[in-house]
Amino acid sequence: MNGASDFSLDNRLALCADFVRDGAKVADIGTDHAYLPVWLCRIGRCDTAIAADINPLPLERGIETINNSGLNNRIEARLSNGLEKISGDEADDIVIAGMGGELISQIIENWEFSKDRSKHFILQPMTKSEELMRWLFANGFSVIKRDCCTAANKCYTVILAEYSGEVRTVSESDLFLYGLDPKNNSMHRRFIEGCVRRLLKQAKGNPVCAETARILEESFK
């Protein structure tokens, strides 16, 4: 591997990469193959990055990618439980992708620097995005931007958030819809349609789910 052109990011990671600021120091949490930090450094978006994972085997795969890219002097692989081993001055933009929404919430909550208003959190939940949104609003984080993409024929959302100190209470439907425009954006609509299907499965035992599904359906009519 001699450069970013030797591999491509899947749509999930590519959308995460789009949300990273130029010149930011990046920490990629749950990095696995370290494709994202290698890509960001290769295209010149970032000067330095940390590729972190809780498990040794995925981290070894990441180290191999970093070694093959020739970026050992710019990307550090680090064994870390979430952000536990990341200090506040080592990362400006924190990417947490490929995990459940509740686990992502815990990782942010456990980091002592998460309320630093200069930090950006780029979050890609595989499940329960609405629970991640609920936690963000309840804990003083603002959602700056959201978008959606497909990967392996599934539709996902990516959330850009930062700490603002403003605690908000939003409706159940806004936990799904906030920052999205399913009426005018086909990818946003596909994501919301998936949420509707999931809510309808839960609706038999929970009337709130049925009402939320109805509101979501109205959002793209």
Side-chain angles (χ1 to χ4, degrees):
M1 183 184 298
N2 298 311
S5 61
D6 295 318
F7 68 93
S8 59
L9 301 179
D10 71 10
N11 290 337
R12 291 184 310 112
L13 292 181
L15 186 52
C16 290
D18 286 344
F19 282 16
V20 172
R21 292 174 287 185
D22 285 335
K25 292 179 286 187
V26 170
D28 181 29
I29 307 304
T31 194
D32 197 2
H33 287 82
Y35 290 151
L36 180 63
V38 166
W39 180 269
L40 289 168
C41 287
R42 273 296 183 194
I43 66 172
R45 179 77 51 81
C46 301
D47 292 326
T48 63
I50 295 172
D53 209 290
I54 190 174
N55 293 312
L57 185 57
L59 197 64
E60 287 175 13
R61 292 195 289 261
I63 290 169
E64 183 178 359
T65 302
I66 295 165
N67 287 341
N68 289 340
S69 72
L71 290 167
N72 312 64
N73 60 331
R74 294 170 61 191
I75 303 173
E76 179 186 348
R78 191 175 298 178
L79 196 66
S80 178
N81 181 2
L83 284 153
E84 190 177 85
K85 300 291 179 64
I86 314 295
S87 65
D89 61 354
E90 290 183 306
D92 306 309
D93 288 14
I94 295 92
V95 181
I96 312 176
M99 305 176 200
E102 291 170 320
L103 177 56
I104 292 173
S105 302
Q106 292 170 16
I107 289 171
I108 300 170
E109 186 172 31
N110 291 338
W111 196 43
E112 63 178 305
F113 306 103
S114 63
K115 293 183 179 180
D116 180 336
R117 295 173 189 242
S118 71
K119 307 300 183 190
H120 274 193
F121 292 90
I122 297 148
L123 313 171
Q124 187 275 300
M126 300 295 280
T127 59
K128 297 189 176 180
S129 63
E130 70 279 7
E131 294 304 324
L132 174 56
M133 294 287 285
R134 190 194 309 277
W135 184 91
L136 289 169
F137 288 132
N139 287 274
F141 287 81
S142 294
V143 173
I144 306 166
K145 184 179 178 182
R146 270 184 92 185
D147 207 346
C148 300
C149 65
T150 55
N153 205 34
K154 294 183 179 179
C155 197
Y156 301 100
T157 188
V158 177
I159 301 162
L160 176 61
E162 67 181 6
Y163 184 76
S164 66
E166 180 187 354
V167 174
R168 299 185 58 183
T169 301
V170 301
S171 66
E172 285 295 312
S173 58
D174 266 347
L175 295 175
F176 296 88
L177 289 169
Y178 190 91
L180 301 181
D181 184 11
K183 192 168 186 177
N184 298 301
N185 185 304
S186 60
M187 195 63 68
H188 294 182
R189 174 170 176 162
R190 180 170 175 176
F191 176 74
I192 294 298
E193 285 175 335
C195 294
V196 168
R197 288 192 295 271
R198 178 160 54 89
L199 284 165
L200 289 175
K201 288 179 182 178
Q202 302 167 355
K204 290 183 180 179
N206 189 339
V208 173
C209 291
E211 176 61 11
T212 303
R214 185 192 67 77
I215 295 171
L216 297 188
E217 286 183 314
E218 289 292 327
S219 73
F220 49 77
K221 287 184 178 177

